[in-house]
Amino acid sequence: MALLADPDAPTEIAQRMARILPARLADKSGQVRRFDVEVVSEPFTSGTEDLPTLMRRIMERGRAENWDIVVALTDLPLHSHGHKLVVDLSHEHGLALLSLPSLGGLRLQTRARRAVEEAVLGLASWQASGAEGPQQPLLGSFAGRLTPIHPGPVGEEETADLRYVVSGLRGSLWVLVGMVRANRPWRLVPGLSKALAAALATGAVATVNSTVWNLAEALSAPRLVIATVGSVALMIGWLIVDAQLWHRSAEGSPEARQRARLYNASTVVTVGIGVLVCYVGLMVISWAWALFILNDRVFASMTRTPLHATEYWTLSWFVASIATVGGALGSGLESDEAIRAAAYSKREQERRHMLQDGQDDELVT
């Protein structure tokens, strides 16, 4: 059998899985069959999100290599008949297509491994028995009681004969968490080097400014919270607008609009998490800088307030908000490609490149 994985995160998951999968499959099948697992990394989803097309590609790849069973893994969110796909199965052809974001954002490696195990065992059992019609694998071990995974509709002309999907608001939130997990938002922090440099410079100057001292002492906690929300929102909005991260669907169908909302929500959450990490880092650095540079007598003479732990905390909080605004301005120095590379998974980057190329072609014609 083969694990056909999109590059980047799906390949990493497949490679870790392949180390233990043969033994686990043999054990669960009662040692009646030996499983040799091969990992193949290639962008099989390139250029399309259409399920019949993807299943046909997987089937052709399996036939070319003479694989008995092929399980394909992608970190693209896939849709079918208004639902978000979890896994597509074709027992007749020994195929399975697994969309990783639909497994959620927690314990992804474990859930993916269990889903693959059940899919492979179901396909192998069907092949061994020569049964007619799909043999449904049990969903309990990888779905869990609280996950919104359930069987979904399959068209008569499709390669798949069994499908599991998530739907509804809870399903959308479940997939959203998985998409954000696939984007790995913590990578945005090193990707904003110029913006962080501008923020740190702004924070360093603000920390030694007596006007900032007085403002920090005068602001109440609710106003500091408002300053935090405003500066973070400004940074998020500026990054999305400046780097053209907002997705606009060229199609007018409800499914296309739903997909666009999901992509844009994942963009906001991904960038938001990255910016919040930067904000906390700026606060810690501002606090350390204030401890090093401030003099209690000078501070007290300017603010008429002794310099205690509360004043350090309030000042670093306010300075972090000021520095974040400076970072938003500095983010304009970053290239759009650098921000996209930091904010999105490999599959999402390629998808956006293809959308942009398509829009450019339309403008030329």
Side-chain angles (χ1 to χ4, degrees):
M1 64 160 288
L3 294 177
L4 181 64
D6 267 332
D8 203 27
T11 296
E12 295 172 8
I13 290 173
Q15 289 172 341
R16 288 194 293 267
M17 191 186 303
R19 300 189 189 108
I20 60 174
L21 202 56
R24 290 182 62 88
L25 289 172
D27 183 62
K28 288 191 173 186
S29 65
Q31 303 294 335
V32 298
R33 181 170 178 174
R34 177 184 172 187
F35 293 87
D36 295 318
V37 180
E38 177 182 355
V39 177
V40 178
S41 178
E42 61 179 54
F44 69 92
T45 59
S46 180
T48 185
E49 297 177 44
D50 181 58
L51 283 179
T53 301
L54 293 177
M55 291 295 282
R56 186 169 60 251
R57 286 183 180 179
I58 299 166
M59 181 174 62
E60 292 171 353
R61 190 74 172 88
R63 286 177 177 174
E65 299 292 339
N66 199 29
W67 293 322
D68 294 332
I69 295 174
V70 186
V71 180
L73 285 75
T74 180
D75 56 1
L76 270 183
L78 300 174
H79 297 76
S80 172
H81 304 284
H83 303 294
K84 290 86 177 172
L85 177 77
V86 180
V87 60
D88 246 4
L89 294 161
S90 173
H91 291 77
E92 180 182 357
H93 301 98
L95 310 177
L97 170 61
L98 179 63
S99 177
L100 296 173
S102 296
L103 297 178
L106 300 176
R107 301 173 65 241
L108 179 59
Q109 181 72 43
T110 300
R111 284 190 173 133
R113 190 201 71 232
R114 290 176 176 173
V116 170
E117 287 174 1
E118 294 187 11
V120 171
L121 291 173
L123 295 173
S125 176
W126 192 94
Q127 291 176 347
S129 63
E132 296 181 1
Q135 182 175 346
Q136 297 191 14
L138 298 176
L139 281 176
S141 64
F142 83 88
R145 295 180 179 178
L146 300 179
T147 55
I149 298 175
H150 57 85
V154 182
E156 293 182 359
E157 303 299 323
E158 295 189 60
T159 305
D161 52 35
L162 181 62
R163 172 172 295 153
Y164 288 101
V165 298
V166 293
S167 58
L169 178 60
R170 196 156 64 99
S172 297
L173 293 174
W174 185 262
V175 176
L176 176 61
V177 172
M179 292 174 67
V180 173
R181 168 68 172 76
N183 287 339
R184 291 184 275 192
W186 52 88
R187 298 186 304 181
L188 187 62
V189 178
L192 292 175
S193 56
K194 294 183 177 67
L196 287 174
L200 289 172
T202 303
V205 173
T207 303
V208 297
N209 188 299
S210 59
T211 302
V212 174
W213 300 349
N214 285 301
L215 284 173
E217 287 301 309
L219 290 176
S220 61
R223 290 194 174 188
L224 286 170
V225 171
I226 292 172
T228 298
V229 173
S231 60
V232 169
L234 177 64
M235 182 72 158
I236 294 171
W238 181 261
L239 286 173
I240 291 175
V241 172
D242 187 57
Q244 299 178 354
L245 303 182
W246 198 254
H247 173 69
R248 293 179 176 84
S249 176
E251 304 175 30
S253 65
E255 187 170 309
R257 290 195 295 270
Q258 183 186 40
R259 189 185 303 119
R261 286 194 294 268
L262 191 60
Y263 279 126
N264 288 330
S266 72
T267 295
V268 172
V269 176
T270 298
V271 175
I273 291 174
V275 171
L276 284 173
V277 172
C278 292
Y279 187 92
V280 173
L282 289 171
M283 186 182 296
V284 172
I285 293 172
S286 298
W287 176 78
W289 176 240
L291 283 176
F292 176 76
I293 203 71
L294 293 185
N295 181 280
D296 54 349
R297 285 181 296 178
V298 175
F299 185 90
S301 67
M302 292 292 182
T303 63
R304 298 180 181 178
T305 305
L307 186 57
H308 299 308
T310 302
E311 282 66 40
Y312 279 114
W313 164 250
T314 303
L315 179 61
S316 61
W317 186 0
F318 184 50
V319 167
S321 298
I322 297 173
T324 301
V325 175
L329 300 176
S331 67
L333 302 174
E334 306 280 1
S335 70
D336 294 349
E337 292 300 322
I339 295 176
R340 292 192 190 104
Y344 292 114
S345 67
K346 182 78 171 178
R347 296 294 92 212
E348 180 67 358
Q349 292 174 47
E350 291 186 359
R351 188 188 70 81
R352 288 175 177 268
H353 279 308
M354 285 183 285
L355 285 174
Q356 185 62 46
D357 291 343
Q359 292 171 359
D360 293 342
D361 292 341
E362 290 178 3
L363 290 176
V364 171
T365 56

